[in-house]
Amino acid sequence: MANSKFEYVRNFEQPDSLLPNTWIVVRIDGRGFTKMCAKYEFEKPNDRRALDLMNAAAKAVVTDIPEITIAYGVSDEYSFVFHKSSNLFERRASKLVTTIVSTFTANYVYLWPIYFPDTPLSFPLPTFDGRAVCYPTVQNLRDYMSWRQADCHINNLYNTAFWKLIQLGGLDNREAEKTLAGTLAADKNEILFSRFKINYNNEPEIFKKGSIVFRDYELAEPSSHDAAAAADALAEPAVQSKSQAEKDKKRRAKAKVVVEHLDIIKDEFWDRRPWILS
Ligand code: ATP
Ligand code: ATP
Ligand code: MG
Ligand code: MG
Ligand code: MG
Ligand code: MG
């Protein structure tokens, strides 16, 4: 088509491509899920159906977009990691974020009736926001993932104690809050055990650790955690030839996407799955 006189407006679009050769993390978060919990009667502090639904939607996103190497989810949020070599959408932030957000939301809504067969969706409908952040080194990326998982643990310990004080202890919100004010992790464990005979360690892994979505291949042998292995875990991936990258892409597209609830703060998870960060 011939250029129209209107076409100059194209020049108003601003470039938003993300820094090359960095790990891109797109984190999405449910909008107003505090209200959603009340409206759809999520069990507190952890509604298993809602977590399973988040995981199913995330699995669909990872399956749909092979450039995602790993994803981590807790509560109403999910972080999707693009490999530093990814050139999807020329690394344009708005394209990456909006595609993830809408693919996730579409799947979340589509799969809702499977996880909430007795609770039809109405209003408010679930929606999500999203942002993209670049991490230059594997260490920064690992620290990001560790930050989210540590957050999961801290929040879950607090929420578990808080809700047990209400549900089993008969306290109201304010009393429960007051009981927990200034307590350390050990104190919360102690409150759970002495008052309710609950051993926090025996709580489900999905609650304590959150969920990890990744492509599964054969596990590497567990490495002895010597200095060399530790250095290996943080090594930057070598630059690949184009044909190798193509082969890897095909292999990734075929691999099975799994959801696990493992420790991603320690080295072992990464040592045993060297393909995730290589
Ligand atoms: P915003 O729009 O700013 O994100 P929000 O109400 O979603 O507001 P968040 O900080 O994202 O605020 O908190 C999410 C809330 O939803 C938390 O209170 C969390 O406990 C709750 N929640 C999320 N998933 C579940 C679940 N599976 N079971 C029970 N509660 C959940
Ligand atoms: P991309 O993911 O890059 O946007 P695309 O296939 O969506 O790829 P577009 O440039 O957005 O490419 O073009 C959308 C295509 O969908 C066009 O071919 C357009 O004619 C077709 N299309 C969109 N809406 C309709 C419609 N209502 N009826 C018939 N065709 C449609
Ligand atoms: Mg938010
Ligand atoms: Mg939220
Ligand atoms: Mg949140
Ligand atoms: Mg289009």
Side-chain angles (χ1 to χ4, degrees):
M1 225 191 297
N3 288 353
S4 73
K5 67 168 179 174
F6 306 118
E7 204 163 289
Y8 77 97
V9 296
R10 188 74 144 143
N11 298 322
F12 284 63
E13 279 188 28
Q14 295 297 299
D16 67 342
S17 76
L18 294 164
L19 199 66
N21 204 35
T22 54
W23 302 89
I24 299 170
V25 175
V26 174
R27 182 170 76 251
I28 66 164
D29 185 282
R31 177 165 179 237
F33 262 51
T34 309
K35 277 196 188 126
M36 290 279 295
C37 289
K39 158 87 189 182
Y40 295 106
E41 300 180 328
F42 284 12
E43 266 168 50
K44 296 307 281 184
N46 290 296
D47 188 295
R48 184 61 203 249
R49 301 164 300 175
L51 291 176
D52 288 342
L53 173 55
M54 288 291 291
N55 292 343
K59 194 174 164 183
V61 170
V62 174
T63 305
D64 197 40
I65 306 177
E67 283 85 352
I68 297 169
T69 56
I70 188 166
Y72 175 73
V74 46
S75 180
D76 67 339
E77 70 167 64
Y78 240 101
S79 299
F80 297 90
V81 180
F82 287 88
H83 195 276
K84 63 189 263 180
S85 69
S86 174
N87 200 34
L88 185 62
F89 303 136
E90 283 85 44
R91 301 173 71 87
R92 288 163 62 187
S94 55
K95 290 267 223 173
L96 290 167
V97 172
T98 56
T99 299
I100 295 263
V101 164
S102 65
T103 306
F104 187 92
T105 307
N107 278 284
Y108 189 97
V109 169
Y110 178 70
L111 295 168
W112 177 277
I114 294 176
Y115 294 91
F116 288 92
D118 305 320
T119 314
L121 259 187
S122 54
F123 291 88
L125 290 169
T127 56
F128 295 83
D129 67 45
R131 71 195 68 183
V133 181
C134 292
Y135 293 100
T137 65
V138 167
Q139 177 75 67
N140 294 146
L141 176 67
R142 288 262 321 258
D143 287 346
Y144 172 82
M145 303 295 271
S146 298
W147 173 51
R148 297 325 299 147
Q149 190 165 56
D151 209 56
C152 169
H153 165 72
I154 293 163
N155 289 334
N156 189 58
L157 179 57
Y158 181 92
N159 289 339
T160 303
F162 179 83
W163 284 101
K164 294 303 167 198
L165 285 168
I166 292 170
Q167 292 159 348
L168 303 176
L171 273 56
D172 66 25
N173 284 19
R174 259 197 28 211
E175 291 165 336
E177 220 171 276
K178 236 180 105 193
T179 307
L180 294 176
T183 57
L184 303 174
D187 305 320
K188 293 182 190 82
N189 277 305
E190 182 55 27
I191 288 172
L192 281 171
F193 193 74
S194 62
R195 298 202 193 185
F196 311 118
K197 294 280 166 282
I198 290 170
N199 183 344
Y200 182 75
N201 290 330
N202 297 338
E203 288 290 292
E205 294 298 307
I206 185 174
F207 300 166
K208 290 185 296 182
K209 299 223 164 58
S211 300
I212 300 119
V213 182
F214 58 96
R215 293 191 165 71
D216 208 10
Y217 304 101
E218 245 170 89
L219 286 178
E221 284 301 307
S223 62
S224 57
H225 284 269
D226 54 15
D232 226 32
L234 293 174
E236 293 297 329
V239 177
Q240 284 182 331
S241 71
K242 246 199 168 145
S243 59
Q244 185 59 37
E246 272 307 304
K247 266 189 219 156
D248 280 7
K249 200 173 157 189
K250 282 194 186 136
R251 202 164 141 254
R252 276 205 298 277
K254 267 197 253 165
K256 195 172 74 168
V257 176
V258 297
V259 182
E260 309 257 17
H261 318 289
L262 302 166
D263 187 313
I264 52 170
I265 297 177
K266 296 197 193 90
D267 290 332
E268 194 198 346
F269 173 85
W270 307 97
D271 287 350
R272 298 202 69 192
R273 296 168 187 80
W275 60 87
I276 291 177
L277 296 181
S278 69

